[in-house]
Amino acid sequence: MTETWVEPLGLMGGQAAAAALAADLALPLSGGPLAFSLVRLIGRDAPTLPIPLTEVPEAWQPQVLALTRALPRFAGLEMPCDLGRPLVMGVVNVTPDSFSDGGRGIAESIAAGHAMLEAGADLLDIGGESTRPGATPVAPEEECRRVLPVIRELAKAATISVDTRNAATMLAALEAGAEIVNDITALRHDPAAARVLARSEASVILMHMLGEDPRTMQQDPRYADVALEVAQFLAARVQAAERMGLPRERLAVDPGIGFGKRLPHNLALMDRLPLLAGIGCPIVFGASRKRFLGTLAGIEQAAARVLPSVAAALAAAGQGAAIIRVHDVAETVQALAIWNALASGFEAADES
């Protein structure tokens, strides 16, 4: 059977979405708050141009309607259809060499996590291994030494994700209180990972990376159609995870901005992020402080890329991201409050 995809286009929010929905000119994307009015059909004998919903052939209509279903609560958290905005995931790197915020010790990382929660983070992602291009791998024993004290403390206050590709670290982190595993290799690195996760109740983020090693992922990445190829990869990894015993309701997908992609690839993925909605899992988006944003904005120092990062977060919110992974929580939360007031149809705004 030929693989087919439906790409939602013409996304809108707020009063425009409400009016289009009322006039049967649009459908809600993943239960809302965004709506889409056009689709691009991808597959054999598909039209070459985007078409309005009224012109979708009957054979494609089930796939279109599947895009409207509200997403299950990932790790028990409310989704954008509940909140009217994406969740904000604060990044806590307990590493000496992360690209923008390395050098934190355990006490500093705990303090940073609490500060992010006070600033409005919905959950935290704690990692003990830098995965920047060219980074040296960290043994699970050292990774655990770094992250477990931080997880134990912050799990008392928030939903915690552990950013790791190692099964031993996953198991120890879950025992310490983590509820989500964020694996940049989408369960390809460690054969034991799927067994550990299938025996748990953890939710899992599956990310696209070119290859399985951050040291080589940026060596001449090439794609014929980066958005479609990433979508196909993630759909296949979701199916593989299901075969391993992980139900789809526990899975989220991440296009892996900057992981084996050059600037044009990253921009194409941001522009076509709604294509991933067809997988039926929450979309996680992480572009915070990344090099391509610095290139576009002319900012060399990673920690100074706050405004470009917030701009990318808002763009992702408008393209259907369910969770946005950021270093600068306060600024992102403030910006999303304005976005939410508009995207939710002004209900969140204070009329006074």
Side-chain angles (χ1 to χ4, degrees), residues 64-113:
V64 173
L65 291 176
L67 294 169
T68 70
R69 295 177 191 140
L71 296 170
R73 292 190 172 187
F74 182 71
L77 296 164
E78 292 182 296
M79 289 286 99
C81 57
D82 305 307
L83 295 172
R85 62 162 177 83
L87 297 172
V88 175
M89 171 188 273
V91 179
V92 181
N93 288 318
V94 196
T95 60
D97 57 348
S98 288
F99 79 99
S100 74
D101 59 350
R104 286 196 193 120
I106 291 171
E108 292 172 308
S109 297
I110 292 171

Side-chain angles (χ1 to χ4, degrees), residues 109-135:
S109 297
I110 292 171
H114 282 301
M116 289 178 179
L117 294 175
E118 290 175 7
D122 299 291
L123 67 163
L124 300 175
D125 191 37
I126 300 173
E129 178 185 46
S130 174
T131 52
R132 75 187 192 284

Side-chain angles (χ1 to χ4, degrees), residues 133 217-218 220-223 226-227 256-272 285 287 290-299 305 308:
M217 65 184 177
Q218 289 300 109
D220 195 26
R222 295 174 182 269
Y223 304 88
V226 65
I257 300 295
F259 284 79
K261 289 98 177 171
R262 299 201 183 280
L263 190 152
H265 303 140
N266 292 323
L267 293 178
L269 285 169
M270 290 177 66
D271 182 54
R272 298 181 64 191
F285 177 86
K290 294 201 170 177
R291 180 178 296 276
F292 82 101
L293 296 178
T295 300
L296 291 170
I299 302 174
R305 299 171 190 157

Side-chain angles (χ1 to χ4, degrees), residues 94-96 106 128-129 138 142-150:
V94 196
T95 60
I106 291 171
E129 178 185 46
V138 174
E142 173 62 18
E143 193 179 25
C144 287
R145 186 194 68 79
R146 295 174 182 179
V147 302
L148 294 184
V150 181

Side-chain angles (χ1 to χ4, degrees), residues 8 28-34 36 63-87 203 238 247-254 273-285 316-317 319-324:
L29 180 65
S30 301
L34 300 176
F36 62 100
Q63 279 182 268
V64 173
L65 291 176
L67 294 169
T68 70
R69 295 177 191 140
L71 296 170
R73 292 190 172 187
F74 182 71
L77 296 164
E78 292 182 296
M79 289 286 99
C81 57
D82 305 307
L83 295 172
R85 62 162 177 83
L87 297 172
S203 297
V238 166
R248 189 172 295 240
E249 308 85 69
R250 285 166 51 189
L251 305 176
V253 296
D254 182 339
L273 196 65
L275 180 62
L276 301 183
I279 299 173
C281 298
I283 300 169
V284 179
F285 177 86
Q319 294 287 67
I323 301 172
I324 300 178

